[in-house]
Amino acid sequence: ATVDRAADFANYFCTYGFLYHQKEMLSDRVRMDAYYNSVFKNRHHFDGKTVLDVGTGSGILAIWCAKAGARRVYAVEATKMTEHARQLIKANRVENIVEVIEGSMEDVVLPEKVDVIISEWMGYFLLRESMFDSVICARDRWLKPDGVMYPSHARMWMAPIRTGLGEQKTSDFELSMGDWESFIDETEQQYGVDMSVLTKPFHEEHVRYYLKTSLWSNLNPHQIIGKPVIIKEIDCLTATVDDIKAFSVKVSSSITMEKTRLGGFAGWFDVHFRGNRNNPGHDIELTTAPSTNHSTHWGQQIFLVHPARCVDDGDNITVSFSMSRSRENHRLLDVELTWELTELSGKCSTPVASKYYIE
Amino acid sequence: ATVDRAADFANYFCTYGFLYHQKEMLSDRVRMDAYYNSVFKNRHHFDGKTVLDVGTGSGILAIWCAKAGARRVYAVEATKMTEHARQLIKANRVENIVEVIEGSMEDVVLPEKVDVIISEWMGYFLLRESMFDSVICARDRWLKPDGVMYPSHARMWMAPIRTGLGEQKTSDFELSMGDWESFIDETEQQYGVDMSVLTKPFHEEHVRYYLKTSLWSNLNPHQIIGKPVIIKEIDCLTATVDDIKAFSVKVSSSITMEKTRLGGFAGWFDVHFRGNRNNPGHDIELTTAPSTNHSTHWGQQIFLVHPARCVDDGDNITVSFSMSRSRENHRLLDVELTWELTELSGKCSTPVASKYYIE
Ligand SMILES: Nc1ncnc2c1ncn2[C@@H]1O[C@H](CSCC[C@H](N)C(=O)O)[C@@H](O)[C@H]1O
Ligand SMILES: Nc1ncnc2c1ncn2[C@@H]1O[C@H](CSCC[C@H](N)C(=O)O)[C@@H](O)[C@H]1O
């Protein structure tokens, strides 16, 4: 399916046009510290170099690159946020180094190739928003052969968790279905129309909304009940759109907590800034894993298991995970997840398969 | 500005594709009763006639028209809701009368002209969503010269009100600006970037969001402190897009409550079903005026006046009101409102002018 530009702009980019939203990102200390350190602890990657900032937003990363000694920074941004970025760049006296270019990265023409591409492209569970496509496009056109990607690596993680969210959502769902039943009765009595044929599709719509849509959450690390596992590794220097557009993986994790309940799976990501093989740097990490005092605006995505399943220390969970893009909106994701439990005794459960939507 | 179809679909139509949203409308008893009565108390308009339902949604109005004796009903709907409408129409055994057509009204071709056009096209404060454009388009192409519009007339109302919302929003706004100040300090200290140049645009963005965006509310009738006045009358049989695209009006209202505070203006609408001159019917009214026990999902739109202004019984308020479509999205509205108070003593206030956004 081709992407309609205007619809994409209306849907996706519009939020980024608000300072309110940029501020939310700029207030995320974990995110800010990681990018700040990645630049200022690796000045040798920037000093005298040319840099491309894909999706500069407020311009923050471009300004840092300039302050770290870059000779020239191209700061590309699709939204009107460029106006604010220009002001900010001027107020911080790097307007001779940073050039703000308003446009889609896919369309922009630069006067030269660059030594570094920096971008904060990560969405929920890493790939929501599909913005890495634009970074790949920029890399293939504008990065010098020996250029460096910031970040250089990304990984997706998954872990079994305990949570009361499944019960809560199930009860919300049931309330809503109860309400539907009285609606059916009333419509028949008051208006002579029998709506019961819509009960099934309404039920499906609601199951999807309440139980199959992944939930944003900032988990407490204690909610993780099994070993987190990596489900995807991305080398930002070589990854292609095909690598990330759709993938499947089978992983296994062991339960590390006594007599608890599996209420779902949590997904998160980390990225690393390591330079490249010929031009390494200080390894800086940005992780969005559950944390008591380093939580991020990305949080984690929860895929509910309901009803929750009793599990025990030493049980083994095998998970087949596949992710693809939503047919209606390429920036949203569809997940298929099948899990199976092997108890310490050797007893196996029948596999449980569910579809989820990251919206 | 031309309307991009795909963007419009992504933005506007997507909500109507959910049964959840259709149910909200189908549960609005004031709305349902008015349309139900308009059809069943005016069977002579439908018996043996052809009908076009513009934006049939679940198909409810089309089903009623069929049950009231229509010979043929064309039920046009842009979203996939057509699938549910078809099921509902079959389950209610009117599938031989109602033909569901999936498509934009603007594109659809009917096999014949119709005697009646029925549509529930009203948005917040009547004109939000600009769906009446599609009804006008349908009327000009498909209504017989002596045809009837359902509804036949629409009016927009406005009244001065008292409300604590202005204080609340002002305090939310101030909190948010306080938070911005600490953000500025932290960003300077932690990350060496001076963001203060963005304070002005952030302030503007926030004034717009907190104080200049009209608010949805279901007012208590006691909050109305002056005589409601009509600011726009629409004859659905003759109105043109130009009539509704933009208009200005000057009205005056007298305060009818002793020593109170003007906290804003409320806007609402009513529509009437009266048939037409040669073919009149029982006059049925659907009003969205403040009411204790007949409130609707439309509620009223509130335009805040802040700080609130002391007013007294007998004071006169003159309001210049103009409405136009938002430049970025033709389905949203911009309002300019200037009001002026003449006290009973003859003392005049200086006019207060504000812009508002209906989003
Ligand atoms: N293809 C594309 N071309 C240009 N800008 C894009 C883009 N895809 C996403 N963006 C922009 O990329 C930004 C991502 S958010 C990150 C903003 C900023 N770099 C910071 O770290 O704070 C948004 O402002 C978004 O509008
Ligand atoms: N130009 C257009 N062409 C076709 N359908 C349209 C349209 N503009 C709006 N609609 C549809 O009109 C409906 C308005 S809501 C009213 C639904 C139904 N008639 C009822 O009274 O319950 C929505 O379902 C929307 O998708």
Side-chain angles (χ1 to χ4, degrees):
Chain A
T2 59
V3 176
D4 182 273
R5 289 295 190 94
D8 195 39
F9 210 95
N11 261 338
Y12 171 62
F13 284 113
C14 72
T15 51
Y16 286 115
F18 291 99
L19 284 169
Y20 174 80
H21 187 60
Q22 297 285 342
K23 171 171 175 279
E24 236 166 51
M25 300 185 288
L26 295 167
S27 307
D28 180 331
R29 295 290 286 267
V30 173
R31 186 191 91 106
M32 292 290 276
D33 285 346
Y35 274 85
Y36 184 84
N37 290 329
S38 81
V39 172
F40 289 101
K41 295 202 167 158
N42 290 302
R43 286 176 183 264
H44 63 290
H45 281 153
F46 296 90
D47 204 29
K49 306 289 170 143
T50 52
V51 180
L52 166 59
D53 178 7
V54 180
T56 199
S58 62
I60 185 77
L61 304 183
I63 292 170
W64 285 341
C65 294
K67 294 203 172 200
R71 178 171 63 73
R72 190 117 199 94
V73 183
Y74 302 102
V76 175
E77 170 60 40
T79 72
K80 284 280 165 215
M81 196 46 57
T82 47
E83 288 170 17
H84 303 312
R86 283 200 185 97
Q87 281 188 287
L88 197 64
I89 283 157
K90 206 163 169 197
N92 287 276
R93 290 176 311 276
V94 288
E95 74 271 29
N96 293 328
I97 295 164
V98 182
E99 180 179 338
V100 176
I101 304 172
E102 188 178 318
S104 264
M105 192 61 238
E106 286 73 5
D107 304 328
V108 160
V109 176
L110 302 183
E112 60 180 327
K113 293 219 169 186
V114 297
D115 300 299
V116 181
I117 288 181
I118 193 167
S119 180
E120 199 280 80
W121 52 266
M122 296 86 75
Y124 289 151
F125 205 10
L126 192 66
L127 294 179
R128 187 178 171 281
E129 297 184 29
S130 297
M131 187 183 155
F132 191 52
D133 290 19
S134 305
V135 175
I136 291 176
C137 168
R139 180 197 70 198
D140 293 347
R141 286 199 206 155
W142 304 111
L143 189 66
K144 289 184 189 168
D146 55 347
V148 183
M149 296 296 288
Y150 267 73
S152 58
H153 297 82
R155 296 185 298 188
M156 293 166 74
W157 291 84
M158 181 158 258
I161 58 159
R162 54 187 177 143
T163 170
L165 279 174
E167 271 83 25
Q168 192 194 306
K169 291 287 163 182
T170 304
S171 118
D172 290 352
F173 166 72
E174 278 160 6
L175 270 174
S176 181
M177 287 308 300
D179 190 55
W180 173 264
E181 292 303 332
S182 8
F183 164 72
I184 294 286
D185 291 346
E186 270 186 37
T187 311
E188 173 80 64
Q189 275 161 34
Q190 299 290 323
Y191 307 112
V193 175
D194 175 7
M195 295 247 165
S196 56
V197 71
L198 297 183
T199 300
K200 193 162 165 272
F202 185 83
H203 185 275
E204 275 165 25
E205 188 183 295
H206 271 51
V207 166
R208 174 172 172 148
Y209 177 74
Y210 284 107
L211 301 171
K212 299 197 164 179
T213 302
S214 64
L215 300 165
W216 183 95
S217 179
N218 247 320
L219 292 171
N220 187 300
H222 289 126
Q223 293 181 261
I224 298 181
I225 60 169
K227 211 173 120 25
V229 289
I230 294 171
I231 57 167
K232 181 78 181 169
E233 292 196 85
I234 295 172
D235 180 340
C236 300
L237 203 54
T238 56
T240 64
V241 172
D242 278 337
D243 292 339
I244 56 168
K245 210 160 64 179
F247 67 91
S248 297
V249 66
K250 194 165 178 177
V251 290
S252 88
S253 166
S254 49
I255 298 296
T256 52
M257 191 176 279
E258 267 180 56
K259 291 206 187 313
T260 182
R261 284 153 69 83
L262 172 71
F265 294 90
W268 66 84
F269 68 88
D270 59 22
V271 299
H272 287 252
F273 303 82
R274 292 191 188 126
N276 68 22
R277 208 162 285 175
N278 304 323
N279 193 2
H282 256 90
D283 189 344
I284 306 288
E285 182 187 65
L286 163 51
T287 176
T288 65
S291 159
T292 25
N293 41 28
H294 291 96
S295 56
T296 72
H297 78 286
W298 284 287
Q300 297 84 39
Q301 288 289 308
I302 312 299
F303 306 93
L304 293 176
V305 167
H306 56 90
R309 172 70 152 84
C310 293
V311 292
D312 203 355
D313 199 2
D315 289 355
N316 196 67
I317 302 185
T318 314
V319 179
S320 297
F321 177 95
S322 62
M323 181 179 267
S324 57
R325 295 182 178 180
S326 152
R327 240 183 354 135
E328 290 88 41
N329 182 341
H330 80 293
R331 298 197 182 270
L332 306 181
L333 303 168
D334 292 348
V335 163
E336 275 184 53
L337 201 151
T338 308
W339 61 273
E340 217 177 321
L341 199 73
T342 310
E343 291 177 25
L344 208 49
S345 66
K347 210 179 119 199
C348 287
S349 73
T350 44
V352 181
S354 309
K355 264 199 105 144
Y356 296 96
Y357 306 91
I358 304 180
E359 307 220 294
Chain B
T2 61
V3 176
D4 182 273
R5 289 294 189 96
D8 195 39
F9 210 95
N11 260 338
Y12 170 62
F13 284 112
C14 72
T15 50
Y16 285 115
F18 291 100
L19 284 169
Y20 175 80
H21 187 60
Q22 295 286 344
K23 172 171 174 280
E24 237 166 52
M25 298 185 289
L26 295 167
S27 307
D28 181 330
R29 295 289 288 265
V30 174
R31 186 192 91 106
M32 292 289 275
D33 285 345
Y35 274 86
Y36 184 83
N37 290 329
S38 80
V39 172
F40 289 102
K41 294 200 169 161
N42 290 302
R43 285 177 184 262
H44 64 289
H45 281 151
F46 296 90
D47 203 29
K49 304 289 170 148
T50 53
V51 179
L52 165 59
D53 178 6
V54 180
T56 199
S58 62
I60 185 76
L61 304 182
I63 292 171
W64 285 342
C65 294
K67 293 203 171 200
R71 177 171 65 72
R72 190 119 197 93
V73 182
Y74 302 101
V76 176
E77 170 60 41
T79 72
K80 284 282 167 215
M81 195 47 58
T82 47
E83 288 169 17
H84 303 313
R86 284 199 185 98
Q87 283 188 288
L88 198 62
I89 283 157
K90 206 163 168 198
N92 288 273
R93 290 180 309 278
V94 288
E95 75 271 28
N96 293 328
I97 296 165
V98 182
E99 181 180 338
V100 175
I101 305 172
E102 188 178 321
S104 264
M105 191 62 237
E106 287 72 6
D107 304 328
V108 162
V109 176
L110 302 183
E112 59 180 328
K113 294 220 168 183
V114 298
D115 301 298
V116 180
I117 288 181
I118 193 167
S119 180
E120 199 281 79
W121 52 265
M122 297 85 75
Y124 289 151
F125 205 10
L126 193 66
L127 294 179
R128 186 178 172 280
E129 298 183 29
S130 298
M131 186 182 156
F132 192 52
D133 291 19
S134 305
V135 176
I136 291 175
C137 169
R139 180 197 69 197
D140 292 348
R141 284 198 207 156
W142 303 111
L143 189 66
K144 289 184 188 169
D146 55 348
V148 183
M149 295 297 287
Y150 268 73
S152 57
H153 297 81
R155 296 186 297 189
M156 294 168 73
W157 291 85
M158 180 159 257
I161 58 160
R162 52 187 178 144
T163 171
L165 279 172
E167 270 83 24
Q168 191 194 305
K169 291 285 161 182
T170 305
S171 120
D172 290 352
F173 166 73
E174 277 161 6
L175 270 173
S176 180
M177 286 309 300
D179 189 56
W180 172 264
E181 291 303 333
S182 7
F183 163 73
I184 294 285
D185 291 346
E186 271 187 36
T187 310
E188 174 81 64
Q189 275 162 37
Q190 299 290 322
Y191 307 112
V193 175
D194 174 7
M195 295 249 164
S196 56
V197 71
L198 297 183
T199 299
K200 192 161 165 273
F202 185 83
H203 186 275
E204 275 165 25
E205 190 182 294
H206 270 50
V207 166
R208 174 171 172 151
Y209 177 75
Y210 285 107
L211 301 170
K212 298 196 165 179
T213 302
S214 64
L215 299 165
W216 183 96
S217 178
N218 246 321
L219 292 171
N220 186 302
H222 289 125
Q223 291 181 263
I224 299 182
I225 60 169
K227 210 174 120 28
V229 289
I230 294 169
I231 58 167
K232 181 76 179 169
E233 290 196 86
I234 295 173
D235 180 339
C236 300
L237 203 55
T238 55
T240 64
V241 173
D242 277 339
D243 290 339
I244 57 169
K245 209 160 67 180
F247 68 90
S248 297
V249 65
K250 194 165 177 178
V251 289
S252 88
S253 166
S254 49
I255 298 295
T256 52
M257 191 177 278
E258 266 180 56
K259 290 209 187 314
T260 181
R261 284 153 69 84
L262 172 72
F265 294 90
W268 66 84
F269 68 89
D270 59 24
V271 301
H272 287 252
F273 302 84
R274 291 190 188 127
N276 68 22
R277 209 160 287 176
N278 303 322
N279 194 2
H282 256 93
D283 189 342
I284 306 289
E285 183 188 64
L286 162 52
T287 177
T288 65
S291 159
T292 24
N293 41 28
H294 291 96
S295 56
T296 71
H297 77 287
W298 285 287
Q300 297 84 40
Q301 289 288 309
I302 313 299
F303 307 92
L304 294 175
V305 166
H306 54 92
R309 170 72 152 82
C310 293
V311 292
D312 203 354
D313 198 3
D315 288 356
N316 195 67
I317 302 185
T318 314
V319 179
S320 298
F321 177 94
S322 63
M323 180 179 267
S324 57
R325 294 184 178 179
S326 152
R327 235 174 8 127
E328 289 88 44
N329 182 342
H330 79 292
R331 296 198 183 271
L332 306 181
L333 304 167
D334 292 349
V335 163
E336 276 186 53
L337 201 151
T338 307
W339 61 273
E340 216 177 321
L341 199 73
T342 312
E343 291 176 26
L344 208 49
S345 67
K347 210 180 120 201
C348 287
S349 73
T350 46
V352 180
S354 309
K355 263 198 104 143
Y356 298 95
Y357 306 92
I358 304 181
E359 306 217 297

